[in-house]
Amino acid sequence: VSTQSTGDRFAAMSSLVVRMVIEKGLFTDKTARIGCVLVGVLYPVWCTLRAIAATSQSTSHLSEEEQDDAGRSATLTQHKWLTYWSAYGTFNVLELVTDRMLRWLPLYHSIKLFALLWMMSPQFEGAMLLYLRFMRPFIQSNQEKIEPWVTTAEDTVHSVVSETLEQAHSGARMAQDAWSSPVATRVKEQLKNASGFSPFCAEDIRGVRRRFGEFSQQLLARFVKSA
């Protein structure tokens, strides 16, 4: 009787939770968007970081068999989350391409939330299924065609970044040389000797503003007196 009562209470509580989730937020666009971020990004990021950290943990206190099991488990976990991020990235690319159509689809973010749950859930492992059924055959049949484009893009990005950094370094060096040139030094000395003004000095700038204010007041007083 007690077991049956506990089971009834658990079934009633589960039914209540499911009803509240469905009626109070899951199928609203705002909460579905939040759920997509939590389920599709934040939780996988945490699991990925934990899987990476697991490889750096010391296993010297374990037996050889336990070390092999731990290494195999860490490798499988990393492979799982690498597969998930590959599927998630592909999903985002398709979503970007079809954005104008998908934005008019009713309950789109709720459907996306269920799709992300299906992809990352250990019970379904949808990401692994997508990889084995679609992504891996596509890569195997098109890798030779895609690889030259990827190599060209990598070389282009590397060249652009290198040239940009070199130009920035050259510009900084030219500016430094110009600032320490004899002409600039003479100009700074003349300014300093002429009015006690040192460039980029906050106190001198405040002094100039104060003297300009005093001059403006004197000019206004003369104008009022003459009028």
Side-chain angles (χ1 to χ4, degrees), residues 8-80:
D8 292 341
R9 287 199 301 268
F10 178 77
M13 185 178 299
S14 301
S15 176
L16 179 62
V17 170
V18 170
R19 182 176 177 182
M20 288 179 61
V21 168
I22 292 177
E23 293 183 355
K24 300 298 183 181
L26 183 59
F27 291 108
T28 63
D29 186 72
K30 184 176 180 180
T31 53
R33 286 172 181 263
I34 296 174
C36 289
V37 174
L38 293 175
V39 173
V41 180
L42 294 181
Y43 179 72
V45 164
W46 168 251
C47 292
T48 303
L49 294 175
R50 190 170 58 184
I52 295 173
T55 59
S56 61
Q57 293 180 353
S58 176
T59 58
S60 58
H61 62 284
L62 301 176
S63 63
E64 184 175 352
E65 183 178 357
E66 291 175 338
Q67 290 180 5
D68 293 339
D69 292 340
R72 192 160 42 246
S73 176
T75 301
L76 290 174
T77 303
Q78 291 179 0
H79 185 264
K80 170 190 173 181

Side-chain angles (χ1 to χ4, degrees), residues 138-152:
F138 176 80
I139 293 173
Q140 290 175 345
S141 59
N142 297 277
Q143 185 172 3
E144 294 182 358
K145 300 177 182 178
I146 297 175
E147 197 65 36
W149 292 86
V150 175
T151 303
T152 303

Side-chain angles (χ1 to χ4, degrees), residues 158-191:
H158 177 72
S159 176
V160 170
V161 172
S162 299
E163 291 178 1
T164 303
L165 292 177
E166 184 178 353
Q167 291 176 1
H169 181 69
S170 176
R173 187 169 58 251
M174 291 176 59
Q176 184 177 5
D177 293 341
W179 181 252
S180 9
S181 65
V183 176
T185 303
R186 285 199 301 271
V187 171
K188 288 185 287 185
E189 288 294 333
Q190 290 174 2
L191 289 173

Side-chain angles (χ1 to χ4, degrees), residues 79-104:
H79 185 264
K80 170 190 173 181
W81 290 112
L82 282 173
T83 305
Y84 170 80
W85 288 117
S86 300
Y88 182 80
T90 304
F91 183 84
N92 277 351
V93 171
L94 295 176
E95 185 181 30
L96 180 65
V97 173
T98 59
D99 178 63
R100 291 189 177 181
M101 294 183 296
L102 293 177
R103 71 175 61 180
W104 298 105

